[in-house]
Amino acid sequence: MPTIGVALAIPEPWATELQDYRTSVGDFTATQIPTHITLIPPVEIGDDDLAAVEEHLCGVAAGVDAFRVHLRGTGTFRPVSPVVFVTVVEGISGCEQLAKAVRRGPSTSSCPSPTTPT
């Protein structure tokens, strides 16, 4: 079964700046995962569903207008998870709407994760 995740990439130069900061404070995973905003966390989907999921994601992406995102401050899921993230202070509505649209697709509707940048 393939595992997929859906995320928005943080553009340069901010992606590298954020990644470098994470590395400087001892986050050893900073270089393993590109800086992004999670829309759907990793989830297993059936082999037979992969094409339908890809088609759905392409359709959602084609129908979304660009929106501005501003990141500031931090948050965490501790004690549930050691993940620390940067807070979306502008554009959260656009991220949430996009995440909701993405989750309406095949095999992704039950993903329980808030939209977060890491």
Side-chain angles (χ1 to χ4, degrees):
M1 256 189 200
T3 299
I4 66 160
V6 180
L8 300 175
I10 303 296
E12 294 297 346
W14 301 282
T16 296
E17 184 176 325
L18 184 54
Q19 198 168 36
D20 288 349
Y21 177 75
R22 290 174 59 202
T23 301
S24 76
V25 296
D27 182 348
F28 301 109
T29 66
T31 59
Q32 298 172 356
I33 302 170
T35 306
H36 65 280
I37 298 174
T38 302
L39 298 177
I40 294 182
V43 61
E44 286 187 346
I45 62 170
D47 292 326
D48 295 339
D49 294 329
L50 187 56
V53 169
E54 289 176 350
E55 183 177 334
H56 172 70
L57 294 175
C58 288
V60 169
V64 174
D65 291 329
F67 57 92
R68 180 181 166 95
V69 172
H70 182 147
L71 306 175
R72 179 180 52 216
T74 58
T76 183
F77 296 122
R78 290 181 180 162
V80 176
S81 163
V83 172
V84 175
F85 56 87
V86 178
T87 307
V88 178
V89 295
E90 180 181 349
I92 188 65
S93 177
C95 290
E96 288 172 342
Q97 290 173 18
L98 184 55
K100 187 175 180 179
V102 165
R103 291 167 191 226
R104 285 190 202 116
S107 300
T108 58
S109 60
S110 63
C111 301
S113 175
T115 303
T116 56
T118 52

